[in-house]
Every structure is written in structure tokens, then in C-alpha cells.
Amino acid sequence: MTRRIPPLSTEQIAAFVELARVGSLQAAAQSLHLSSEGLRGRILALESALGTSLYEKERGRRGNVELTASGKRFLQKAVRFLDQAHELTRLFEPRRETKEIQLIASHYLMTYVLVDVVREFRKNYPDYNLRLSTRAEAQVISMLLSESHCAIGACTPTDFPRSLQHHPWRNVGWCLVVPSAHRWANARSVSLAEIATEPLIVFERMSAGRLHVLETFFALGLEPTIHLEATSTPLILAMVDAGLGVALVPSPPSDAVIRGLDVTIVAVVEPIRPIETGIFLRTEWQDEPGVRALLDMILSFGSK
């Protein structure tokens, strides 16, 4: 035989939960816009239906109330019950559809440039869920080509596949980064001939950043002293901070790039071919309003 469910109400349970939260009958009554007697009546009815006492009722007791062992046990399930009751009341409300957009970019662009764009997009388009992924430069395009859920990517292109829309974006120059205690820390500029004599930290092989730097050295008949190689700008900056060498890195958009690091940015005498970055879009995403909005915001940010 099915056991009869006692007549409990959400008002009774809410009264008890509020009492447990604030610890005072008077404060709980004020919070629920009830009289103290009204609140007490709801809880007494709840206790009667449950067949147990939920809080101590000592004569002359003032101030905070204490839950009984039964009250503490009931409280956890009562809170869960109210949460589920709230879900039931919202069950047939119109739901806003949340759409997902995946943005892929190189470590440098995502960390130092696109974070501001993402912040602005989230503020203006809260119905979209952005998934952010960082990859090495050479992997961004290959990931866009191979994974249909990836909508948009930012990188220094080494290829321009016809199946992807390409939008030129930013041209990024170069600077020298040295430890703050280095003899060049106060220099206005340093030549590549001088830099070639120092232990140099460079980007990994097959990267556009490495190519741009080394081709400039070789065009001047110089052979740099490559000391270490690293995948990303943040890692290279950390290595310079550790005193492992000097590095030529893309010019940072703000001082936030080196904040917290004991390094100094110095200009380079000779021009190094700038990094030309681009935005790539999978064609099947081109009519998605959120993707178009994100693309426009990125391109607009690049023109500032």
C-alpha cells in the first residue's frame, strides 16, 4: 500500500528554510513579509505534518534559534525541494536559445588582443556561448578545415584555403625584450648586429615569427646565437624574465603583456618584416548572426 504523503506546502517549507538561514523568528518573518505569529504558524503546521520538531522552543528563549537533529536533517532536502519547485514554475517559460561559437587563435592573439574583444562580445551578445581555443599558428587553419564546429580563427596565415573566407586584420611589428638588469635595459634602440652576439630565444621551427626574425638577420649577413626555442610569446617572456637570454617578440599592444615580469622592452634599429595576421571563417557559418557580429568586432578592433 502506498504511504500517504502528508499535506506539505512550499510556503511552510520556505518559512522553515528562511528561519534556518537567518536564525531568528522575527528576522525570518520580516524577510518573508509575515508577522511572527504567521511565520510560527506555518512552521508549526509543517512540524505537525512531519510528526517531528524542527527547532528548539525553550521557554523564554531569545535571539537565534537552534535546529533539532530532525531539523538539520530536513533542511538539506527542504532546500533541494524549493529549488526543484522553482524549476517547475519556470518549466513552461519561453527559453532563450543559447548558441555556441568556437573561436581559435594563436596564443599571442588570444592572450593579448582577443580577450578584450571577447569581453565586449559577451556584454553585447549574452545569448551566445563562446568557446575559446589556443593553438600554434600552423594548427589554427588546419583545425578550421577539419572540424566543422570551429567557426572562426585568427592567426598568421601560411596558406589561404579556398574553402575559408580570409579577412586581413592586423600588422604587428617587433621589439626586443631583455631582463631589466641587462645593459641594454636603458638603451633607446639596439641593432641586430649587437643582438646577434647575445643568447637569443626564438620561436619554434616552422613558425612565421621565427621566419620573419631570422630572414632579417641573414639578409644583413648576420647569424644570431640561438640559445633556446619556445612555442609562444608568454613562454618566451617568462624565459627572458628568468634571465635565460634576450628575445625578439611581436610588439605588445599594451604594457599589460609584461606586467609582473622583470623585463624591459627596447626598440630595434633595423625594421623586421611585420607579422600580417588574418581572420578565417568557415563558409557555412557566414550567415550566423553571432559569428558575423564577432567577426565585425574583431576586424573593428584591429583597425583601432
Side-chain angles (χ1 to χ4, degrees):
M1 181 176 178
T2 304
R3 181 181 176 184
R4 184 181 68 87
I5 299 176
L8 307 179
S9 73
T10 55
E11 289 84 0
Q12 294 168 356
I13 296 174
F16 169 70
V17 169
E18 188 64 13
L19 174 64
R21 186 182 73 84
V22 300
S24 161
L25 283 166
Q26 183 176 1
Q30 291 176 348
S31 175
L32 296 174
H33 305 288
L34 298 170
S35 66
S36 295
E37 289 303 318
L39 179 82
R40 187 180 289 108
R42 289 187 181 185
I43 297 178
L44 287 174
L46 176 63
E47 290 178 325
S48 176
L50 294 173
T52 188
S53 179
L54 298 175
Y55 72 99
E56 302 291 349
K57 304 174 185 65
E58 300 175 11
R59 282 187 178 274
R61 184 179 180 85
R62 295 291 184 268
N64 292 345
V65 300
E66 291 186 11
L67 300 185
T68 63
S70 295
K72 293 176 182 178
R73 181 181 176 188
F74 181 71
L75 179 61
Q76 294 180 347
K77 295 185 181 297
V79 171
R80 196 179 314 145
F81 171 84
L82 289 179
D83 287 341
Q84 292 173 343
H86 284 303
E87 288 182 13
L88 283 174
T89 62
R90 297 191 297 266
L91 186 61
F92 300 107
E93 290 181 355
R95 292 182 178 271
R96 295 186 303 179
E97 183 181 359
T98 300
K99 297 182 180 180
E100 187 172 272
I101 301 173
Q102 182 156 3
L103 170 64
I104 317 160
S106 65
H107 296 81
Y108 176 87
L109 294 175
M110 186 68 79
T111 304
Y112 301 132
V113 182
L114 290 173
V115 166
D116 290 333
V117 179
V118 169
R119 184 190 301 115
E120 190 69 17
F121 181 83
R122 288 289 301 148
K123 182 172 67 176
N124 291 291
Y125 298 90
D127 291 347
Y128 285 89
N129 179 37
L130 271 183
R131 290 182 57 196
L132 308 179
S133 302
T134 58
R135 295 290 188 274
E137 292 279 1
Q139 296 175 320
V140 173
I141 289 181
S142 63
M143 189 170 177
L144 281 170
L145 290 172
S146 62
E147 301 188 25
S148 60
H149 62 274
C150 298
I152 191 168
C155 65
T156 302
T158 55
D159 192 14
F160 299 87
R162 291 187 177 183
S163 58
L164 300 178
Q165 290 185 11
H166 171 250
H167 301 268
W169 188 30
R170 300 167 61 93
N171 288 342
V172 183
W174 293 84
C175 65
L176 174 68
V177 180
V178 302
S180 295
H182 196 278
R183 66 183 186 279
W184 293 338
N186 296 318
R188 295 184 62 181
S189 61
V190 180
S191 69
L192 289 177
E194 294 173 290
I195 296 171
T197 65
E198 287 287 302
L200 186 64
I201 305 170
V202 299
F203 288 97
E204 63 183 348
R205 289 175 172 82
M206 305 302 293
S207 66
R210 182 190 181 103
L211 173 64
H212 287 215
V213 168
L214 295 187
E215 71 178 8
T216 306
F217 275 109
F218 296 147
L220 296 173
L222 300 171
E223 185 171 351
T225 306
I226 297 177
H227 186 58
L228 291 167
E229 301 178 6
T231 305
S232 66
T233 301
L235 179 55
I236 288 179
L237 292 176
M239 295 166 77
V240 175
D241 181 51
L244 298 176
V246 302
L248 291 163
V249 300
S251 299
S254 71
D255 291 339
V257 174
I258 61 171
R259 190 174 299 150
L261 299 176
D262 195 16
V263 301
T264 300
I265 294 175
V266 184
V268 181
V269 174
E270 296 87 353
I272 299 174
R273 181 160 61 98
I275 295 180
E276 299 175 357
T277 61
I279 308 300
F280 288 86
L281 180 70
R282 284 187 67 104
T283 53
E284 62 264 42
W285 287 88
Q286 63 183 338
D287 295 325
E288 168 58 47
V291 173
R292 296 300 309 181
L294 179 59
L295 175 63
D296 291 342
M297 291 177 71
I298 294 173
L299 295 177
S300 175
F301 187 88
S303 64
K304 294 178 181 179

